[in-house]
Amino acid sequence: MKARIEIRLKPGVLDPEAAAIERALRQLGFAGLKGVARAKVIEVELEARGPEEAEAELRAMCERLLANPVIETYAIALLR
Amino acid sequence: MRAAVVTFPGSNCDRDLRVAMESVFGVPVRALWHGERDLPKLDLVALPGGFSYGDYLRAGAIAARSPIMAEIVRFARRGGLVLGICNGFQILTEAGLLPGALVRNRGLRFLCRTVDLEVTTTASPFTAAYGEVRHIRLPIAHHDGNYVIDQDGLARLEGEGQIAFRYRDNPNGSTAAIAGVLNRERNVLGLMPHPERAADPRLGNTDGVPLFRSLLEAVHGAGS
C-alpha cells in the first residue's frame, strides 16, 4: 500500500522560507499573489491488512517521528 | 563529578565541550556513542552542538530517536542533569524533555557571532554560579535557533521561571527572545549559545565557565 503524508507548519508559526518565496514572487511581478505556504510531502510504502491498519500505522509514524506536534500538523492520504 | 558527552553522527562540538567541562570539573569526561543502549553511572549528560544526521527531517529529529536517547530520557526523569547546547537543545525539544521547538532563523541566515545575553534565572543547577552577574556574552552559531512556543506554553515558562537565558538583541526571531529554557523540574537545560566556546581565557571570553561551575557545585556542593 502507498500513502502520501503532508506535513505543514501550524497556523501562527512563522515560516521564513515561505515568506522569502512570497517576496521573490512579488518581485517577479505577480501582483495578484495573496499568500504562500510551504509543506513537506513524504511518500511511504507499507504492508498492511487493510486501510484501517495502514492508517493507524501511518498515524503512529507521524506522531513518533515525521511531524513535530508543537509546530506541525499532518494529513495522511492512502493512495492505493 | 561523573559526566559524559554524547556524540551523534554529525556532532561537531563534542570535543570542545569535553575539554571545557574537564577544565572546570578537573576530572575526565566520558565520550558516549549515540548507539549505546546503557548509560554508565552519571551525574550529568551533555548533548553537544553540530548537525546530527545532517538536520534531516527537522534539526535534532532523528538524533532524538537514537538508542541512547531512550536512556537519557529515563535518566532525566529520575532527576539526572541533562544539558543540551545548540543542536543538543534541538534534540532535547524533539525528545520531549523540553517544551517548544526550534525552527529556521527569522532572517533565514546562518548566524555566527557573539551575542549579549541576560541570565534570566540563577535558581537552577546550571546558572546558580552566575550570582549577581546578569549580563553575559556568548557565541552563537546556528541556522535553526528560532524558539517557538504557544502563548499558554510561554505563560507556563514565565510563571515557573523556566527561562534561563534571553537574547538582549533577539537575533533569530525567538519567542520572547528566549535563548535557553529549563524543564519544570529544573534538571534539564537547553540553550542555543555555546558556553563551551567561552571557557578558556586564551580565547578572550570566559562567560561560559560559571555554567559549568554551577553544575560542579550542584553535584559536589558550593566551594568545590
Side-chain angles (χ1 to χ4, degrees):
Chain A
M1 199 167 303
K2 282 189 179 174
R4 186 176 180 281
I5 298 166
E6 193 178 278
I7 297 157
R8 52 175 66 234
L9 286 173
K10 281 183 176 172
V13 179
L14 176 82
D15 183 348
E17 292 191 32
I21 293 166
E22 187 176 330
R23 274 197 303 277
L25 286 172
R26 268 185 222 295
Q27 233 148 43
L28 288 173
F30 293 101
L33 184 71
K34 283 199 144 164
V36 172
R38 208 172 45 99
K40 240 186 304 206
V41 169
I42 297 178
E43 285 181 349
V44 176
E45 198 171 345
L46 76 169
E47 257 172 53
R49 276 186 291 257
E52 269 151 46
E53 187 183 287
E55 213 158 312
E57 194 80 347
L58 291 160
R59 200 166 302 124
M61 289 180 193
C62 289
E63 302 281 339
R64 292 181 59 192
L65 176 65
L66 300 180
N68 179 341
V70 177
I71 46 170
E72 295 170 325
T73 58
Y74 62 86
I76 295 168
L78 288 177
L79 299 181
R80 226 166 16 93
Chain B
M1 169 64 99
R2 298 164 300 179
V5 172
V6 181
T7 300
F8 299 92
S11 296
N12 62 17
C13 301
D14 40 339
R15 185 179 174 279
D16 287 11
L17 182 53
R18 266 204 333 275
V19 168
M21 286 163 73
E22 285 175 349
S23 78
V24 176
F25 298 162
V27 293
V29 170
R30 297 185 62 144
L32 295 176
W33 183 238
H34 74 110
E36 289 182 34
R37 286 171 193 278
D38 293 304
L39 285 187
K41 281 220 175 322
L42 293 171
D43 302 302
L44 166 69
V45 179
L47 308 185
F51 298 88
S52 57
Y53 296 92
D55 280 350
Y56 292 169
L57 193 63
R58 299 175 303 275
I62 312 272
R65 279 80 182 173
S66 59
I68 204 169
M69 281 309 297
E71 282 306 308
I72 291 173
V73 169
R74 266 192 285 277
F75 174 76
R77 302 255 189 262
R78 286 198 307 266
L81 294 166
V82 179
L83 168 66
I85 297 168
C86 199
N87 188 223
F89 183 14
Q90 296 160 342
I91 294 169
L92 291 175
T93 60
E94 280 285 341
L97 283 175
L98 289 173
L102 292 143
V103 301
R104 184 61 27 118
N105 295 339
R106 176 165 286 179
L108 288 172
R109 287 203 176 84
F110 187 96
L111 298 171
C112 184
R113 63 167 100 124
T114 298
V115 296
D116 288 10
L117 295 166
E118 169 198 284
V119 182
T120 313
T121 177
T122 50
S124 88
F126 302 90
T127 54
Y130 282 104
E132 297 299 305
V133 178
R134 286 306 167 103
H135 175 194
I136 61 169
R137 285 171 58 75
L138 290 178
I140 56 167
H142 61 244
H143 209 170
D144 295 296
N146 180 350
Y147 184 76
V148 173
I149 191 159
D150 61 24
Q151 282 305 313
D152 290 351
L154 178 61
R156 272 196 298 276
L157 289 184
E158 284 176 334
E160 297 281 333
Q162 287 171 245
I163 301 170
F165 299 98
R166 282 189 210 261
Y167 302 106
R168 289 166 69 102
D169 185 11
N170 195 348
N172 54 24
S174 290
T175 306
I178 290 171
V181 290
L182 295 154
N183 65 339
R184 200 153 177 268
E185 295 72 25
R186 313 183 90 73
N187 63 314
V188 179
L189 170 72
L191 73 166
M192 289 312 296
H194 287 272
E196 81 281 12
R197 295 188 189 180
D200 184 330
R202 288 170 294 188
L203 298 180
N205 181 357
T206 54
D207 284 359
V209 170
L211 190 147
F212 301 112
R213 201 182 317 122
S214 301
L215 287 163
L216 185 67
E217 289 171 1
V219 171
H220 288 294
S224 51

